[in-house]
Amino acid sequence: MEQAARLRLIIDTGDGQRAVDILDRLEKQAAATERATDRLSGEMRGLASAGDKLGDESSQTDDQLKKMDRSGHAVGITFGQIRNILIAVGGVAVFKKATDSAVSFESQMDRVGALVRGTAGEMETLEEITRKLGATTQFTATQAGEGAEALSLAGLKVAEIVKALPDTLNLAAIENLDLGRAAEILGTTLNQFEEDASQATRIADALAAASTEAATSVEELGEALKFTGGSAKIAGLDVEGTVALLGKLADSGLKGGLGGTALNRFIQELITPSDDLESIVGKIDLQAEGFEAVFKRVTSLLTEEQAFAIFDERAARAFAFLRPAADDVAVLEKRIRSLGGVSAQMAQEVTDNTAGAFKSALAAAESAAITFGQAGWLDGLEAAIEETADLMRSMPFQEFAANAGKFFGDAAFAAAGFLSIIRQINGEAEKGAEK
């Protein structure tokens, strides 16, 4: 009525032709709006039809829920009661944490399985050890799985990973190393010295002991062994003897890759001795004499000046540092061999504090969450996701979505048409009032 009054005002002002023009434009706009409304009605009917089809699809799910509810009644529990209990104890958060933890752990173990190609029984054993470590150490089960993945990348098989994984976690804890780096150090050292994974604890102990008895670290020793481990094995050295030499070089400032490279060159000079060297110290046969005997003879008979004349610079530098410390090398090696079990002890000591207890509590909580998530919850969640995806891919749902899109599009067009008519009437009425 208000719009009509405004239009009447325009006509009363005497501008009749202008009013006729306005009415013509409004008539055209109204016709367009009516067509959009007709289309909207058609889309509503199509939407209702698609909704009916979608309802038929979802009725099957509803029937399943009713069956599950009846099953719950059979044991005295209903879905409503379960829901209320979960809400009371923060069930939503529990479900989310359990799902996230279980999914993350499952994904991690799938990556390990793809790398090691183990049997079902082997993977079950590996999963058990990773979950056990997650429940009893500061590392979560998922992190333990990451350590297993790193060991697999170092070439270890499932049975070897099971043996080496606890020692990997100990090395990581001692110096707060990344699990991947700790696994790389342990796995590579095992390979370089051709040791079985059953010797993982012994190697971890040697690395830990050398890091406490010399001016070096597990990380630096791992870097040094990368350059010298192969040569040391050829020369007849074991891990303990090698890290003792590296430890004394570290005391003199040759650490990490520098120490490893220098020791490697020195050992190479003894593996393939030059005529000049043998003319001074006599015939060298590492296989017959052993490294220790040759080392003592060379360091006692060869001077630093002669070493720099015969060896390359890196080998000569190693010799210059080791010659005055030859007896100390033997003492350090003996000390390293005596410290069995030190890696586990050190790992316990560095985590025996509030921060360590907090990490252990979080790891144990994740372990419990994984147990909860794997107790049928993930299987049910996967089935629900697949069912939802199937429903959304179905033709009834696609038809419903298409009709819904058209419906809202035509609704918006019709609304725009009505608003346009109102704006034109208001505008012309205001112009007429000004006259």
mmCIF file of all heavy atoms in Angstrom, residues 58 88 116 192 218 243 396 413:
data_model
loop_
_atom_site.group_PDB
_atom_site.id
_atom_site.type_symbol
_atom_site.label_atom_id
_atom_site.label_comp_id
_atom_site.label_asym_id
_atom_site.label_seq_id
_atom_site.Cartn_x
_atom_site.Cartn_y
_atom_site.Cartn_z
ATOM 1 N N SER A 58 19.011 -43.227 3.219
ATOM 2 C CA SER A 58 19.409 -43.106 4.623
ATOM 3 C C SER A 58 18.568 -43.971 5.549
ATOM 4 O O SER A 58 18.959 -44.226 6.690
ATOM 5 C CB SER A 58 19.315 -41.637 5.061
ATOM 6 O OG SER A 58 17.966 -41.189 4.975
ATOM 7 N N ALA A 88 29.518 -36.481 30.203
ATOM 8 C CA ALA A 88 29.855 -36.228 31.603
ATOM 9 C C ALA A 88 31.357 -36.282 31.843
ATOM 10 O O ALA A 88 31.898 -35.579 32.668
ATOM 11 C CB ALA A 88 29.153 -37.233 32.513
ATOM 12 N N VAL A 116 59.895 -52.543 5.339
ATOM 13 C CA VAL A 116 60.560 -53.792 5.734
ATOM 14 C C VAL A 116 59.968 -55.021 5.074
ATOM 15 O O VAL A 116 60.598 -56.076 5.031
ATOM 16 C CB VAL A 116 60.514 -53.972 7.268
ATOM 17 C CG1 VAL A 116 61.227 -52.841 7.954
ATOM 18 C CG2 VAL A 116 59.069 -54.074 7.771
ATOM 19 N N GLN A 192 78.615 -51.113 9.605
ATOM 20 C CA GLN A 192 80.034 -50.900 9.332
ATOM 21 C C GLN A 192 80.904 -51.985 9.961
ATOM 22 O O GLN A 192 81.872 -52.447 9.344
ATOM 23 C CB GLN A 192 80.468 -49.529 9.864
ATOM 24 C CG GLN A 192 79.995 -48.356 9.022
ATOM 25 C CD GLN A 192 80.463 -47.045 9.601
ATOM 26 O OE1 GLN A 192 80.450 -46.844 10.816
ATOM 27 N NE2 GLN A 192 80.870 -46.133 8.738
ATOM 28 N N VAL A 218 77.728 -38.452 21.655
ATOM 29 C CA VAL A 218 77.223 -39.529 20.802
ATOM 30 C C VAL A 218 77.036 -39.028 19.377
ATOM 31 O O VAL A 218 77.381 -39.717 18.409
ATOM 32 C CB VAL A 218 75.892 -40.083 21.365
ATOM 33 C CG1 VAL A 218 75.256 -41.054 20.364
ATOM 34 C CG2 VAL A 218 76.117 -40.769 22.702
ATOM 35 N N VAL A 243 86.149 -46.155 19.020
ATOM 36 C CA VAL A 243 85.671 -44.953 19.730
ATOM 37 C C VAL A 243 86.677 -44.489 20.770
ATOM 38 O O VAL A 243 86.705 -43.300 21.128
ATOM 39 C CB VAL A 243 84.288 -45.188 20.369
ATOM 40 C CG1 VAL A 243 83.238 -45.447 19.309
ATOM 41 C CG2 VAL A 243 84.313 -46.304 21.393
ATOM 42 N N PRO A 396 21.099 -40.415 -6.163
ATOM 43 C CA PRO A 396 20.087 -39.633 -5.444
ATOM 44 C C PRO A 396 20.688 -38.427 -4.740
ATOM 45 O O PRO A 396 20.123 -37.335 -4.761
ATOM 46 C CB PRO A 396 19.504 -40.641 -4.450
ATOM 47 C CG PRO A 396 19.706 -41.965 -5.111
ATOM 48 C CD PRO A 396 21.017 -41.852 -5.816
ATOM 49 N N PHE A 413 17.687 -15.156 -7.329
ATOM 50 C CA PHE A 413 17.323 -14.347 -8.491
ATOM 51 C C PHE A 413 15.942 -13.724 -8.301
ATOM 52 O O PHE A 413 15.714 -12.548 -8.607
ATOM 53 C CB PHE A 413 17.342 -15.215 -9.750
ATOM 54 C CG PHE A 413 17.041 -14.453 -11.009
ATOM 55 C CD1 PHE A 413 18.019 -13.695 -11.627
ATOM 56 C CD2 PHE A 413 15.767 -14.484 -11.573
ATOM 57 C CE1 PHE A 413 17.752 -12.993 -12.787
ATOM 58 C CE2 PHE A 413 15.487 -13.773 -12.729
ATOM 59 C CZ PHE A 413 16.483 -13.025 -13.341
#
